[in-house]
Amino acid sequence: MSEENVVNVKHRMLQLLSDVDEADMETIEQWICNRSYRKDLERLKALKSSQKTLVKIGNSIKKIVPFEAEMPSEIIKPPTVGNQVDCNEINTCHVDEFLYDDNEVEKLIKKGKLKKYYCTNCNHRDVQELIYISHSMSCQALQYIFKVLLPSDLEEKQILDVGSRLGAVLYGAYYLSNAGTIIGVEMNQECCDVQSRIIEQHTMDTNRIKVVHSDIMERSDLVTNSNIIVINILEFFVDNEKHKEMWYFFKKYIKKGSYLVCNRSMTDTFVNLDIFEEFMNWLSVCKPHQIENEILFDIEDYEDLYLYTVN
Ligand SMILES: C[S@@+](CC[C@H](N)C(=O)[O-])C[C@H]1O[C@@H](n2cnc3c(N)ncnc32)[C@H](O)[C@@H]1O
């Protein structure tokens, strides 16, 4: 690193430290002086390297799916309950977070390939920001799930992703954990084909990672045999009645002691579906298992990710 760069790094560190109060300053000084920051730095570098693998996979997917990553055979409708009821064709556009992170989204906006606003009243400066929704988890969310929320040793465990879509959760589990078995169940054939192609193209071990084309409600065996079940918001894909049925099904078949990972509070989901009373004692919120890795994340960005245990 040149002298100029070193000055630049010092400048950035000083800017950060200028916001730290005296009491916290001592902790920071200790962290640097006893060199424990070195271990954190190594873990951060390992995380960045695993991210490169996921980005590479994302780039392969971009080549075989439409820009919005929605398949011609899919019927995707805004929900009629909950906090996304205001989404509609005019004010919402789909940007897949696994394929495009925030930096890439900014670049697409600059190039004009993605719009940020829509006009509410032509010829006026009366514009509204578009709502971006993603049907996949981002690389960062996956890193947080596997490096902070879940236990570090999953060798004997089976992970099930309900509605595995492009396979983001499956690849995250494959490269970010030592989970013994990773299964995605997806009802859309085109999405299953994408996942199978990617698994083959990236020569993943098919004894460890599998995609099953089915409605999850036809595969109670997979639900019961899994130790960790990931459920990303389903309501754009099923109506309220089916959504309710699915939760009754999960309550019946997910075994006690299993983990449930969701990107929305289950209280909100159950209240929106009007089934809270019946489900309130079914789950308990679980603390993150790999607290030592929290330092690698801006945890405020992950407040929507929840880990539960089934009672
Ligand atoms: C929000 S996407 C989740 C994608 C992926 N799990 C992730 O987090 O990146 C939901 C997916 O669930 C699928 N799905 C919805 N209901 C399903 C069901 N009953 N059985 C199987 N798949 C289902 C949809 O086709 C859709 O691809």
Side-chain angles (χ1 to χ4, degrees):
M1 195 183 268
S2 71
E3 202 176 314
E4 200 180 318
N5 280 342
V6 173
V7 171
N8 196 270
V9 172
K10 283 184 179 175
H11 168 77
R12 282 189 281 153
M13 286 176 78
L14 280 176
Q15 291 291 336
L16 282 177
L17 292 174
S18 64
D19 289 332
V20 177
D21 61 37
E22 266 313 304
D24 293 337
M25 194 68 165
E26 210 167 300
T27 316
I28 302 280
E29 276 171 359
Q30 267 178 18
W31 180 62
I32 293 175
C33 294
N34 68 18
R35 295 173 75 84
S36 52
Y37 81 95
R38 281 267 174 184
K39 273 191 192 159
D40 297 330
L41 194 58
E42 283 313 311
R43 293 207 309 277
L44 183 63
K45 285 181 181 170
L47 199 65
K48 285 190 171 177
S49 143
S50 65
Q51 175 148 353
K52 280 188 189 155
T53 310
L54 294 182
V55 168
K56 223 172 165 181
I57 291 175
N59 289 338
S60 309
I61 298 176
K62 282 178 196 166
K63 291 182 190 152
I64 57 173
V65 300
F67 178 62
E68 292 79 15
E70 292 179 338
M71 303 300 170
S73 57
E74 287 189 295
I75 301 165
I76 303 176
K77 285 187 184 160
T80 54
V81 294
N83 61 3
Q84 288 177 311
V85 284
D86 53 340
C87 292
N88 61 45
E89 272 183 23
I90 293 167
N91 69 6
T92 306
C93 82
H94 179 217
V95 185
D96 191 284
E97 284 185 342
F98 183 69
L99 306 184
Y100 302 97
D101 66 11
D102 290 349
N103 287 336
E104 282 186 275
V105 167
E106 281 307 317
K107 281 186 200 159
L108 289 169
I109 290 170
K110 271 191 191 150
K111 281 187 195 164
K113 286 192 176 166
L114 197 62
K115 300 291 173 223
K116 199 170 180 180
Y117 301 99
Y118 69 98
C119 172
T120 54
N121 188 358
C122 279
N123 297 330
H124 285 72
R125 295 179 179 190
D126 190 9
V127 289
Q128 283 280 332
E129 258 191 59
L130 279 161
I131 302 170
Y132 288 166
I133 52 149
S134 172
H135 300 309
S136 295
M137 296 226 195
S138 66
C139 288
Q140 290 72 21
L142 293 166
Q143 288 177 328
Y144 190 78
I145 289 171
F146 292 105
K147 295 297 176 191
V148 177
L149 287 184
L150 287 167
S152 60
D153 187 5
L154 302 179
E155 198 172 350
E156 304 291 316
K157 308 295 182 201
Q158 174 164 305
I159 298 184
L160 170 68
D161 183 27
V162 174
S164 47
R165 193 162 188 80
L166 306 178
V169 174
L170 309 185
Y171 318 132
Y174 191 91
Y175 291 106
L176 298 167
S177 84
N178 66 346
T181 312
I182 301 159
I183 301 177
V185 175
E186 171 55 57
M187 66 180 181
N188 180 275
Q189 179 68 61
E190 285 182 286
C191 287
C192 289
D193 294 344
V194 169
Q195 295 169 75
S196 301
R197 271 177 79 173
I198 294 297
I199 288 169
E200 194 189 337
Q201 200 179 331
H202 290 262
T203 55
M204 292 180 216
D205 175 0
T206 48
N207 288 319
R208 193 175 163 227
I209 182 168
K210 296 173 177 53
V211 180
V212 176
H213 175 220
S214 173
D215 184 317
I216 190 66
M217 291 176 72
E218 305 290 323
R219 296 304 306 264
S220 57
D221 56 324
L222 295 178
V223 174
T224 300
N225 290 331
S226 297
N227 312 93
I228 296 150
I229 292 144
V230 182
I231 305 185
N232 183 347
I233 295 170
L234 297 169
E235 54 212 30
F236 279 82
F237 302 89
V238 292
D239 63 25
N240 292 345
E241 273 320 298
K242 170 93 181 187
H243 198 191
K244 264 194 225 183
E245 271 176 45
M246 287 174 80
W247 283 107
Y248 284 114
F249 167 85
F250 293 135
K251 191 166 181 245
K252 183 166 174 196
Y253 290 109
I254 299 179
K255 63 175 181 265
K256 283 187 184 157
S258 302
Y259 291 113
L260 183 65
V261 180
C262 299
N263 54 353
R264 144 120 33 107
S265 136
M266 278 299 102
T267 304
D268 290 349
T269 300
F270 298 147
V271 167
N272 291 338
L273 291 174
D274 209 12
I275 52 174
F276 178 70
E277 296 278 302
E278 288 157 273
F279 283 75
M280 59 190 270
N281 295 321
W282 177 49
L283 302 171
S284 299
V285 177
C286 208
K287 283 197 182 136
H289 286 79
Q290 303 179 64
I291 292 281
E292 69 283 7
N293 285 340
E294 273 193 342
I295 193 170
L296 311 180
F297 295 85
D298 190 345
I299 53 172
E300 282 179 11
D301 291 345
Y302 304 95
E303 281 170 352
D304 288 339
L305 288 174
Y306 290 83
L307 177 67
Y308 297 93
T309 40
V310 175
N311 296 320

